[in-house]
Amino acid sequence: TGTSDQTQAVWQVALGSQVQTKPQLVKNHYEPTHQEILFQDAGNNLHLVSSSGQLRWTVPLSGSILGKIHQVDAYKNGKLQYLFNTKEKLYLLDRTGNHVGNFPVSLKSSATNAVSVFDYDNNRNYRCFVATENKKIYAYDVTGKIITGWKFDQTEQAVTTPLQHFKAAAKDYIVFKDPSGIYLVNRQGESRVS
């Protein structure tokens, strides 16, 4: 008909730097019907924008976020926090952009994958796993402390994909791979299958 379709912006936010990561929708525990948007800019700043386009906060990070941002209920009170990692650090931010507890946690070696977050028994006792350049896989609890019961030694090569968790016949399996092979271990990091 000779007319062109034009997209109308509902809102826009001026940041001063280009968006680096794909925007991620997150839950707002105070307004469950309204999702918010998290994204990182080229200056390694993390931004939270409300569903109405209001910039709620900006937090500088040590580098680019690896993978996705997980929402966890660290205090088991129905309020959600944001858990993620860069190559250098593991982060846990509250809804207002403040660091929670001991976070950020400096990693013992540079991360080679995005953090995986498991809640084995759906009781909000989260376990966070990060693979690093020294071929180790570190397990942290939601307070940022290393889990002493995790005994996995190391992989043959670097793990670059997130770890996975599943249950079969009432047994937990944590699965990950490097270019040499696949590892299937229990909650303590002991091999389930050779």
Side-chain angles (χ1 to χ4, degrees):
T1 61
T3 62
S4 64
D5 292 330
Q6 293 184 355
T7 304
Q8 297 281 331
V10 175
W11 52 260
Q12 60 185 358
V13 176
L15 298 174
S17 187
Q18 289 187 330
V19 173
Q20 177 179 318
T21 61
K22 177 181 170 184
Q24 183 176 331
L25 293 175
V26 292
K27 294 177 188 174
N28 174 338
H29 56 262
Y30 289 117
E31 300 173 24
T33 59
H34 295 97
Q35 291 187 316
E36 297 180 318
I37 302 166
L38 271 174
F39 59 90
Q40 188 175 22
D41 68 23
N44 292 325
N45 296 302
L46 182 64
H47 305 277
L48 180 72
V49 177
S50 73
S51 60
S52 62
Q54 177 186 4
L55 180 63
R56 292 203 188 264
W57 49 256
T58 299
V59 174
L61 303 177
S62 64
S64 297
I65 295 173
L66 301 179
K68 72 175 194 169
I69 297 169
H70 303 271
Q71 284 192 273
V72 297
D73 182 358
Y75 295 113
K76 300 180 183 182
N77 62 3
K79 296 180 180 178
L80 300 172
Q81 298 81 40
Y82 309 111
L83 179 69
F84 57 92
N85 70 299
T86 63
K87 281 188 169 229
E88 303 83 13
K89 295 182 179 186
L90 182 62
Y91 288 88
L92 183 63
L93 298 175
D94 68 16
R95 190 186 167 292
T96 61
N98 293 314
H99 296 286
V100 175
N102 298 319
F103 290 91
V105 172
S106 294
L107 300 172
K108 295 182 179 281
S109 179
S110 293
T112 57
N113 72 347
V115 64
S116 297
V117 181
F118 306 140
D119 182 4
Y120 299 130
D121 301 313
N122 293 319
N123 58 6
R124 295 175 285 186
N125 287 331
Y126 303 100
R127 298 295 183 246
C128 312
F129 293 85
V130 178
T132 58
E133 285 180 355
N134 64 2
K135 301 177 190 141
K136 301 260 187 200
I137 295 178
Y138 293 98
Y140 296 88
D141 65 19
V142 80
T143 68
K145 294 180 183 168
I146 295 244
I147 296 171
T148 56
W150 176 253
K151 307 283 188 217
F152 185 78
D153 185 27
Q154 69 181 52
T155 56
E156 293 290 320
Q157 297 180 49
V159 173
T160 57
T161 56
L163 282 70
Q164 301 291 317
H165 169 259
F166 66 92
K167 282 188 181 207
K171 291 184 179 180
D172 288 287
Y173 291 82
I174 298 171
V175 183
F176 46 98
K177 70 177 184 69
D178 67 15
S180 303
I182 297 173
Y183 303 83
L184 290 119
V185 300
N186 63 16
R187 290 185 188 188
Q188 292 76 40
E190 300 161 335
S191 182
R192 284 240 189 248
V193 179
S194 37

